[in-house]
Amino acid sequence: MRTVGPEEYFQPVGYLAGVKEVPPAENDRPGTEFDCEMMVMAGLASAQVDAVIHALYRSGVGRIDYKAVLTPVNQFWDGEKLYEEIAREHEAMTKGGSQ
């Protein structure tokens, strides 16, 4: 588990997750704070992802709406792009329904 702050939001999420094939970005601009907490899970099987989500909920952390699994596509995105994509998906999934 690793906490990432705004000073690393420009880095590819795969690099932050330790994927050797994903190089670091050369840009060093700080990112802006996100409105919601985001969690990215890497190196876990589907059952393990479910177990992590349930364990966090049971431990009192509660629900994390902005979550993703690292994929071959999104591992090259920076934290801000991933956040924007998750935000769009979350809005589409919850539009018209209760959260």
Side-chain angles (χ1 to χ4, degrees):
M1 193 156 135
R2 181 172 191 269
T3 301
V4 175
E7 67 280 0
E8 294 182 293
Y9 289 173
F10 67 91
Q11 289 291 350
V13 291
Y15 170 75
L16 295 172
V19 177
K20 291 182 174 118
E21 297 79 19
V22 180
E26 293 183 18
N27 187 342
D28 63 354
R29 64 172 171 77
T32 58
E33 286 287 338
F34 297 149
D35 292 333
C36 297
E37 187 174 38
M38 178 173 69
M39 179 173 68
V40 180
M41 294 169 274
L44 301 175
S46 181
Q48 291 172 311
V49 169
D50 291 339
V52 166
I53 292 167
H54 292 298
L56 288 170
Y57 185 78
R58 281 193 313 270
S59 69
V61 170
R63 182 182 168 131
I64 299 173
D65 290 326
Y66 287 29
K67 55 189 168 294
V69 173
L70 193 69
T71 68
V73 173
N74 70 19
Q75 69 181 350
F76 294 100
W77 297 353
D78 66 29
E80 292 175 335
K81 176 164 175 50
L82 182 59
Y83 184 87
E84 290 169 7
E85 289 295 321
I86 293 172
R88 270 196 288 278
E89 289 176 12
H90 181 72
E91 182 178 345
M93 290 174 46
T94 58
K95 197 170 200 169
S98 61
Q99 292 187 351

